[in-house]
Amino acid sequence: MAAKPEYRDRPDVEVALLDALVDRGDEGMTVLELRAAVDADIDAVEEALAALKDDSLITVESGERVRVYAHDRVVPDPDEPAEAPPGGLVDTIRDRLGL
């Protein structure tokens, strides 16, 4: 499962972290597990985690181990149909290219 579409316009590492956390749901992940799940170096992962925490998109719980969880508002409702991109394929490509 992936994070909600409104959170997918962030840098690639942040989106990958959110997607990994959404997949793990209530279990959350340790920083080591996140590092293994995301194809980025540890510095990029730490920067992305800091940005996500600053934007209140993740929560961090310190207990026996530090665990990171996706905020509820990032997790899509499984009963809600997936949104189709507005416009068509050409509009999507134009948006991606910045035209």
Side-chain angles (χ1 to χ4, degrees):
M1 186 183 308
K4 286 184 177 178
E6 56 262 33
Y7 300 106
R8 304 198 67 75
D9 63 346
R10 303 180 69 84
D12 291 341
V13 176
E14 292 180 25
V15 172
L17 288 169
L18 287 174
D19 288 346
L21 289 168
V22 167
D23 280 342
R24 291 292 289 267
D26 295 334
E27 298 174 35
M29 297 178 83
T30 65
V31 175
L32 182 60
E33 290 171 328
L34 283 168
R35 170 62 182 93
V38 176
D39 187 26
D41 63 54
I42 190 68
D43 293 330
V45 170
E46 286 181 8
E47 288 175 22
L49 287 171
L52 292 170
K53 187 172 181 187
D54 288 344
D55 293 340
S56 299
L57 298 178
I58 61 172
T59 56
V60 180
E61 292 182 1
S62 300
E64 189 174 307
R65 290 186 177 176
V66 175
R67 297 199 72 80
V68 182
Y69 300 88
H71 193 281
D72 290 340
R73 67 182 174 166
V74 177
V75 180
D77 182 6
D79 297 330
E80 188 174 297
E83 283 187 30
L89 177 63
V90 175
D91 291 332
T92 303
I93 292 171
R94 283 186 188 146
D95 289 342
R96 295 274 175 137
L97 295 176
L99 300 174

